[in-house]
Each structure stands twice: as structure tokens, then as C-alpha cells.
Amino acid sequence: MFASDLFDGHTAFVTGAAQGIGAEIALSLAEHGADVAVNDLDGDGAADVADSIRSLGNRALGLEGDVTNPDRVDEMVETATEELG
């Protein structure tokens, strides 16, 4: 196994990922093979990071939402599961 395929076949859900450390974590996971659900309160920023991940050839989904809201978390996880597996 090479480091670049460490997460092949896996899906990650990264919160606070529209910028900074969260965005870097999401991109790094994708660079190592993961498909990534990108979450942030900043929906446009999450979508931009998801676009960057898709440009690497991975599947990605930008999800706007507040992780302090349990109902919204359930919705986001359900959407990510349906879209990314």
C-alpha cells in the first residue's frame, strides 16, 4: 500500500472544512484516496473545497450546516451516505 492510496474506498466527513486546517485535512484525505463530505457553516466555502477535491478525481460533497444541531447532523450524514456511500 502506498501513502497515496491509504484511504481508497473510504469516505470521510470533515467539519469546519471551508478554510484553514479543516480544508487542508479534507484535501489531504482526498489526496490519499478518500471521497470527502465537506461541512461548514459557510456553504459556499464548503462547495469550493468540494470542487477542489473533485478536480483531484475524487467524489466530494459540500454540505452547509451547524454541527451543534443534531437534526442537521443526521440530515448531513444521511445525504453524505446516499451520495458518497
Side-chain angles (χ1 to χ4, degrees), residues 48-60:
D48 289 344
V49 174
D51 287 342
S52 295
I53 290 168
R54 283 189 290 274
S55 75
L56 297 172
N58 301 67
R59 296 183 307 152

Side-chain angles (χ1 to χ4, degrees), residues 9 11 15 20 22-23 28-29 45 47 55 57 61 66-67 70 81 83:
T11 301
T15 63
S28 181
L29 286 164
S55 75
L61 181 63
D66 184 348
V67 296
T81 301
E83 297 287 325

Side-chain angles (χ1 to χ4, degrees), residues 60-71:
L61 181 63
L63 296 165
E64 180 178 349
D66 184 348
V67 296
T68 66
N69 179 334
D71 292 332

